[in-house]
């Protein structure tokens, strides 16, 4: 009986979420995207930033697996002068503190969803800031590295130009950008866009981005694309 009630409760929750997600489709793109992630973060907490095919007890294992895949690649491209990192779309800070350690510097996590930032682990080497209206709350050319992991796929086409402008604005000339994005050859959904590595390369013409690594998660292809901003 308890198991049956649990299944009914989950089905009701999924039904309610489905209604909410469909209802917000009428909103303008910026409000729709923000509202979707706001609802998702309140419902799933830190798990909201993962593929929900994963169970909640896989959170740490998935994060560790991603670090093991990506950090060695990033380390090859880092310079000693790269000491200030921006974790763009940091969510609950899964990578922020470890990025600071990897760079032997500091890391700033930014995200528009304050509920996720409140879940981020505190550390002397990290700080967190809430984004408003797509603007990164940092000065021009103030960071050496931008880390962006599975974020751009959640941003619709109409908002990408603002996002790109802001990322390029805060990255110094010669600074390093690393994008980790889902490049599976699949049809995009209402709230997640599947795009090719070539698309992301051309999205940032001022950065010499190259796909250098890939791995799979839940049967989908995740590409690591990295390069330095032109001086």
């Amino acid at each position: 009986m308890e198991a049956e009630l649990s299944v009914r409760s989950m089905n009701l929750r999924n039904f309610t979420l489905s209604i909410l997600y469909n209802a917000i489709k009428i909103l303008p793109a910026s409000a729709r995207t923000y509202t979707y992630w706001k609802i998702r973060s309140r419902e799933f907490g830190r798990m909201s930033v993962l593929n929900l095919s994963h169970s909640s007890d896989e959170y740490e294992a998935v994060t560790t697996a991603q670090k093991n895949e990506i950090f060695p690649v990033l380390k090859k491209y880092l310079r000693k002068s790269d000491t200030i990192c921006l974790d763009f779309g940091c969510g609950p800070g899964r990578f922020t503190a470890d990025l600071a350690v990897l760079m032997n510097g500091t890391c700033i996590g930014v995200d528009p969803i304050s509920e996720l930032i409140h879940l981020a682990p505190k550390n002397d080497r990290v700080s967190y800031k809430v984004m408003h209206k797509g603007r990164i709350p940092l000065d021009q050319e103030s960071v050496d590295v931008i880390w962006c992991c599975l974020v751009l796929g959640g941003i619709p086409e109409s908002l990408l130009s603002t996002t790109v402008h802001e990322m390029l604005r805060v990255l110094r000339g010669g600074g390093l950008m690393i994008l980790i994005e889902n490049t599976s050859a699949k049809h995009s959904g209402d709230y997640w866009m599947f795009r090719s590595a070539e698309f992301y390369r051309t999205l940032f013409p001022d950065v010499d981005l190259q796909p250098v690594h890939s791995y799979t998660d839940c049967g989908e292809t995740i590409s690591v694309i990295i390069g330095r901003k032109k001086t």
Side-chain angles (χ1 to χ4, degrees):
M1 177 65 72
E2 184 176 339
E4 183 179 344
L5 288 174
S6 178
V7 170
R8 288 181 179 177
S9 177
M10 181 171 292
N11 288 338
L12 178 60
R13 183 182 69 175
N14 291 340
F15 177 70
T16 303
L17 286 174
S18 178
I19 292 175
L20 285 173
Y21 293 155
N22 283 321
I24 63 177
K25 289 179 183 178
I26 64 173
L27 297 174
S30 58
R32 181 172 66 248
T33 301
Y34 174 78
T35 304
Y36 168 78
W37 286 102
K38 194 85 168 176
I39 294 171
R40 181 169 165 133
S41 66
R42 288 177 176 175
E43 182 65 24
F44 299 104
R46 62 181 189 170
M47 280 298 297
S48 64
V49 300
L50 297 186
N51 187 322
L52 294 177
S53 296
H54 292 293
S55 62
S56 58
D57 59 0
E58 292 181 290
Y59 178 86
E60 296 295 346
V62 171
T63 300
T64 297
Q66 289 177 305
K67 292 174 186 175
N68 290 341
E69 283 282 353
I70 308 165
F71 276 23
V73 178
L74 173 58
K75 190 173 182 179
K76 292 178 183 178
Y77 289 87
L78 287 173
R79 298 171 180 169
K80 289 185 178 179
S81 58
D82 296 326
T83 59
I84 303 174
C85 179
L86 169 65
D87 184 356
F88 179 76
C90 66
R94 294 193 300 139
F95 306 108
T96 318
D98 287 330
L99 284 168
V101 172
L102 181 67
M103 294 175 51
N104 192 28
T106 59
C107 191
I108 306 156
V110 300
D111 200 282
I113 308 302
S114 58
E115 286 87 348
L116 291 177
I117 285 185
H118 290 155
L119 298 174
K122 305 302 183 288
N123 185 293
D124 289 342
R125 288 189 170 192
V126 305
S127 59
Y128 298 98
K129 298 177 182 292
V130 179
M131 295 176 60
H132 295 285
K133 296 183 178 179
R135 181 173 174 80
I136 299 172
L138 296 174
D139 293 335
Q140 184 170 331
E141 296 194 352
S142 57
V143 301
D144 304 308
V145 177
I146 291 180
W147 163 281
C148 179
C149 185
L150 296 168
V151 173
L152 298 180
I155 299 176
E157 301 272 339
S158 60
L159 303 180
L160 275 179
S161 60
T162 299
T163 302
V164 170
H165 172 79
E166 280 295 286
M167 292 173 74
L168 291 175
R169 180 183 66 81
V170 301
L171 183 63
R172 68 171 176 80
L176 187 69
M177 179 179 290
I178 178 167
L179 308 178
I180 304 99
E181 292 295 337
N182 193 321
T183 56
S184 300
K186 299 176 65 174
H187 293 295
S188 296
D190 293 320
Y191 301 105
W192 191 266
M193 275 52 69
F194 295 96
R195 301 171 176 130
S196 67
E198 183 61 25
F199 176 92
Y200 287 113
R201 287 190 64 222
T202 58
L203 190 62
F204 293 89
D206 293 337
V207 184
D208 185 21
L209 289 170
Q210 299 294 331
V212 296
H213 184 63
S214 66
Y215 64 96
T216 59
D217 180 52
C218 296
E220 297 178 342
T221 302
I222 312 299
S223 294
V224 180
I225 310 163
I226 195 166
R228 288 195 175 271
K229 183 180 176 182
K230 298 171 185 177
T231 56

